Amino acid sequence: MWIVISFGLGVLLLVAVALVARVTVHICYDQKKWNIRIRVFGICVHKRQFKQQSSIEHTSADDIKQQLSDLFTDLQRMWNSFPYLLQITKSAEMQQFRWHTTIGMSDAAAVGTMVGLVWTIKGIANQIIRSNFQIRQPFDIQVQPVFQTSFFDTSFQCIVSIRTGKAMQAIISNARGR
């Protein structure tokens, strides 16, 4: 009898620890590839890597616009793959957010226009993130223009954490809503 009770208490304790555990998601984009790592108790439980649909290299202004579009299509595809993500983000904590972009073209006016476009996109993303996450640290967002050469490079890194109980609650409520 005591064995059954101690086993039941052990399982209950294990479930309680699992519900308050913190899950950390580290998303990084650099060198034309996405890296996603999920950690629980500091242990990596899932790792995924995939390359961008098209490469971003020294190209013309039209190619840079297309490559920016492809980059945001990748982001949208990741976002749409998790329909319950918006519910989870309300209780998630953004621990770090860093997004640096270097953009250049041979025409200075075109560089200015593209830099303005990139700042607009980053500003919109900044507001969406700030309205859907709890923020721990200030964001590090930069856009650096380069003149007299066609160039585009961006790197992105964010770390988000959430308690597993909150994530499970959001997933279950989303499943019930269907």
Side-chain angles (χ1 to χ4, degrees):
M1 181 68 157
W2 289 107
I3 294 173
V4 172
I5 292 173
S6 61
F7 179 74
L9 287 175
V11 168
L12 189 61
L13 181 65
L14 186 61
V15 168
V17 168
L19 288 176
V20 298
R22 186 168 289 279
V23 176
T24 304
V25 179
H26 183 111
I27 302 170
C28 181
Y29 173 81
D30 199 17
Q31 303 294 324
K32 302 175 205 146
K33 62 186 170 190
W34 289 93
N35 291 304
I36 300 171
R37 287 188 311 240
I38 301 173
R39 296 179 179 265
V40 179
F41 294 119
I43 300 168
C44 187
V45 295
H46 183 72
K47 189 186 281 189
R48 187 152 194 208
Q49 183 179 56
F50 59 94
K51 291 195 178 266
Q52 185 179 339
Q53 291 176 357
S54 65
S55 68
I56 295 177
E57 308 236 341
H58 298 279
T59 55
S60 69
D62 290 334
D63 288 340
I64 289 175
K65 288 177 189 174
Q66 181 60 44
Q67 290 163 357
L68 273 171
S69 174
D70 290 345
L71 177 64
F72 287 104
T73 300
D74 287 345
L75 287 171
Q76 186 176 20
R77 184 173 41 131
M78 285 188 340
W79 183 265
N80 291 337
S81 65
F82 301 102
Y84 50 84
L85 196 57
L86 192 58
Q87 289 180 327
I88 292 174
T89 61
K90 294 292 185 188
S91 57
E93 183 178 281
M94 180 73 68
Q95 294 180 347
Q96 179 184 7
F97 186 84
R98 185 183 139 288
W99 190 3
H100 293 188
T101 303
T102 305
I103 189 164
M105 292 180 207
S106 57
D107 180 23
V111 173
T113 303
M114 289 304 291
V115 166
L117 175 68
V118 170
W119 269 120
T120 301
I121 292 167
K122 287 186 177 193
I124 292 168
N126 181 13
Q127 283 307 112
I128 291 170
I129 291 168
R130 287 187 184 278
S131 65
N132 288 302
F133 285 90
Q134 299 171 14
I135 308 300
R136 183 184 273 188
Q137 293 182 353
F139 292 170
D140 179 14
I141 300 175
Q142 297 179 14
V143 178
Q144 180 180 3
V146 176
F147 300 100
Q148 304 304 323
T149 184
S150 293
F151 183 78
F152 180 80
D153 184 46
T154 191
S155 65
F156 173 86
Q157 180 178 356
C158 77
I159 300 173
V160 178
S161 66
I162 188 170
R163 300 253 182 233
T164 55
K166 296 282 189 179
M168 290 167 58
Q169 178 184 9
I171 292 168
I172 290 169
S173 67
N174 186 61
R176 285 183 183 165
R178 288 182 187 200

